[in-house]
Amino acid sequence: MTPKDLLYAETHEWVRIAEEGGRKVATVGISDFAIQQLTDLVHMVLPKVGTQLKAGQEFGEVESVKAVSSLYSPVTGEIVAVNSDLPNKLESLGSDPYVGGWMIKVAISDESSLAKLMDAAAYERQCAAEG
Amino acid sequence: MTGPLLRTPLADWHSAHRGRMVDFAGWSMPVQYGSIVEEHHAARRAAALFDVSHMGRLRLDGPGAEALLDRLLTRKVVGMGPGKIRYSLVCNEQGGILDDVLVYHLQEHGGGLYYLLVVNASNREKIVAWIQSQMRPNDDVQLVDQTVSTAMIAVQGPAALRSVEPIVGADVGGLGYYTGLETTICGHAGIASRTGYTGEDGCELIVPATAAVEVWEKILAHGQEAGAAAAGLGARDTLRLEAAMPLYGHELTETIDPIAAGLDFAVNLPGRDFLGRDAIMAAKDRPDRPVRVGLVLHGRRAAREHYPVLCDSKVVGEVTSGTFSPTLEKPIAMAYVPPQCAPEGTELAVDIRGTIEPALVVKLPFYRRPS
């Protein structure tokens, strides 16, 4: 279930690292586990292109019937793309969290932020512990 | 809360059926099994089962029980016929609300009359201590806390009665709203009542703790065809909020009086003497007392508890409960505001994490079941 080619943050965001135009770009979303835990999504707020983010900084929020949860950037850099259509089709997130469910792309300016991220096996252990 | 969480007789069933267990007033309770919205719709469209065994069940026996309760409750207890159930408040001398309760007047099978108080889980110990502190030496009342020895199951929705009728000895459908009786449930001695906390028709069953799983599974089986489903505290909260029923700790606290809470119907003043009466009388005459109102917002961001409520850009109150209403598909909330901000149609606003969103005062409840 948890894609092996992605990195994961403790706060349940996933990261796909790719070279784009000579720079490292991180595509960010939230994991299937996180979506299962949230359930009943009703609203999402995403930031604007050009926003500067530090690793661990809040970049948006996702709201369910029960509660509001913050979205945190797993990396440091500048937002170069936003999946601005996603908030209009939240129901698709559950079935497609890792491809269509991407939220932002961040041009990484400080690669040291990647060191804190987990691989899929470590992230699965965290999810199992959280139940 | 310290120490291990209390577990209802259904806790293992919940865990085995994907119930997401949380600490609620010191009890391990399911907040949801899957989707809160689907569980909510089950109650509105078919039937939903709620484990409400965490609610306190206090039995009062003895010749002094009626007078004691009449002194403790805002609602008249003297003259309540057997089988009657009333919603009432327990207030302190200052008129502050200690709890909201249901008082049942019941006839024991082949025996005498007694009272049952169903109280909030979070207030059970406080209310037991309060009753004991208010007893007089010659009162002749026996108080027994039956919370742990019994289980309580709420079945709510248009198909609720159909789902329980096969297992209940008495004619549940023939019971009037807010009445109840001792009967057999799956052959066990229990109590059935036409009560609930969702705005739907339905009933609540009290059974011996040892019979809880059997009764629960039988109701699910009988209701299966109609779409009955187990529902957690998450749906219980969205349902009661749509029905504008107050929740202790949110709309009701020791600093709120029953008049501000809009619960005049649960206060019987004439010819009575109960704790808090004088303070409630005085509150009636206070022109500036806050008013509980309903708010509807646009968009999809919910106004949640403690968010500031604004009138003409000035903070005038705060949200006590708020959610995204699964039935109305828009954000709804309750709040306390000054009387000049309370009329229906008043345009207020809520500060949602820094964004000021318009909010319209509407008539409560937000949802009323089709009759």
Side-chain angles (χ1 to χ4, degrees), chain B residues 3-340:
Chain B
L5 293 180
L6 296 166
R7 292 173 66 77
T8 78
L10 288 158
D12 289 341
W13 190 96
H14 303 317
S15 298
H17 293 80
R18 302 174 61 94
R20 197 178 298 167
M21 306 303 278
V22 299
D23 175 357
F24 183 83
W27 292 80
S28 177
M29 298 299 292
V31 65
Q32 64 202 96
Y33 303 84
S35 155
I36 291 174
V37 170
E38 282 171 26
E39 292 166 21
H40 179 108
H41 288 324
R44 291 276 180 257
R45 297 169 185 171
L49 281 76
F50 302 85
D51 178 8
V52 290
S53 305
H54 61 306
M55 306 273 295
R57 290 173 292 287
L58 311 176
R59 175 173 169 149
L60 291 99
D61 273 284
E66 178 187 71
L68 173 65
L69 286 170
D70 204 62
R71 207 157 70 232
L72 294 180
L73 300 185
T74 57
R75 201 78 182 267
K76 191 176 169 190
V77 176
V78 172
M80 255 180 88
K84 290 274 188 290
I85 301 171
R86 281 177 188 162
Y87 175 80
S88 180
L89 303 162
V90 181
C91 288
N92 58 25
E93 293 274 15
Q94 296 73 44
I97 300 171
L98 295 172
D99 199 10
D100 63 335
V101 305
L102 288 191
V103 55
Y104 294 50
H105 193 200
L106 293 168
Q107 177 143 35
E108 198 154 27
H109 184 66
L113 297 168
Y114 66 96
Y115 292 91
L116 183 71
L117 274 189
V118 177
V119 308
N120 279 292
S122 55
N123 292 329
R124 174 164 63 113
E125 285 165 9
K126 177 175 82 175
I127 292 300
V128 168
W130 179 251
I131 295 172
Q132 282 164 344
S133 74
Q134 297 298 330
M135 274 190 204
R136 293 166 187 161
N138 300 323
D139 262 354
D140 199 0
V141 178
Q142 294 83 49
L143 169 66
V144 181
D145 186 341
Q146 300 184 321
T147 310
V148 176
S149 62
T150 60
M152 188 164 179
I153 297 168
V155 191
Q156 301 280 295
L161 297 179
R162 238 183 299 158
S163 308
V164 302
E165 268 165 348
I167 62 162
V168 177
D171 173 18
V172 194
L175 281 177
Y177 195 53
Y178 269 67
T179 66
L181 80 180
E182 284 205 353
T183 180
T184 55
I185 298 165
C186 287
H188 308 278
I191 296 166
S193 62
R194 194 87 174 260
T195 49
Y197 190 55
T198 59
E200 292 303 321
D201 194 5
C203 66
E204 291 174 302
L205 305 177
I206 299 173
V207 297
T210 48
V213 173
E214 178 193 359
V215 170
W216 178 271
E217 290 188 330
K218 283 263 165 63
I219 300 168
L220 270 179
H222 286 299
Q224 190 178 22
E225 214 167 290
L233 294 179
R236 188 168 160 81
D237 193 49
T238 52
L239 289 158
R240 69 93 195 167
L241 190 39
E242 286 183 350
M245 292 169 169
L247 174 61
Y248 198 88
H250 299 259
E251 286 72 38
L252 310 181
T253 68
E254 291 185 24
T255 59
I256 296 282
D257 69 77
I259 308 303
L263 299 174
D264 308 55
F265 79 92
V267 181
N268 302 136
L269 289 168
R272 295 187 65 231
D273 185 19
F274 59 88
L275 284 160
R277 182 181 191 274
D278 294 347
I280 294 169
M281 289 284 276
K284 262 181 149 15
D285 297 331
R286 259 182 58 197
D288 61 335
R289 66 181 155 74
V291 180
R292 176 163 66 101
V293 295
L295 301 174
V296 169
L297 288 81
H298 306 288
R300 298 179 69 83
R301 295 177 94 198
R304 300 195 184 262
E305 191 180 6
H306 301 313
Y307 288 6
V309 177
L310 297 91
C311 183
D312 296 331
S313 308
K314 249 180 46 198
V315 175
V316 292
E318 69 170 35
V319 171
T320 50
S321 301
T323 192
F324 184 82
S325 159
T327 305
L328 305 177
E329 296 193 308
K330 44 190 163 183
I332 58 171
M334 292 194 278
Y336 281 101
V337 299
Q340 65 272 20

Side-chain angles (χ1 to χ4, degrees), chain A residues 35-43 45 58 61 63-68 87 90 131, chain B residues 18 20 31-32 34-38 234 237-238 300-302 304 307 323-324 326 353:
Chain A
I35 293 160
Q36 300 293 331
Q37 290 291 306
L38 290 166
T39 67
D40 306 308
L41 300 182
V42 296
H43 189 69
V45 179
E58 183 175 328
E61 63 181 35
E63 182 158 7
S64 71
V65 167
K66 188 98 192 92
V68 186
L90 289 175
Chain B
R18 302 174 61 94
R20 197 178 298 167
V31 65
Q32 64 202 96
S35 155
I36 291 174
V37 170
E38 282 171 26
D237 193 49
T238 52
R300 298 179 69 83
R301 295 177 94 198
R304 300 195 184 262
Y307 288 6
T323 192
F324 184 82
R353 301 183 296 285

Side-chain angles (χ1 to χ4, degrees), chain B residues 351-371:
Chain B
D351 181 344
I352 300 185
R353 301 183 296 285
T355 310
I356 308 301
E357 296 281 355
L360 185 69
V361 178
V362 299
K363 188 176 162 67
L364 293 175
F366 300 101
Y367 165 86
R368 201 185 287 276
R369 74 170 177 268
S371 48

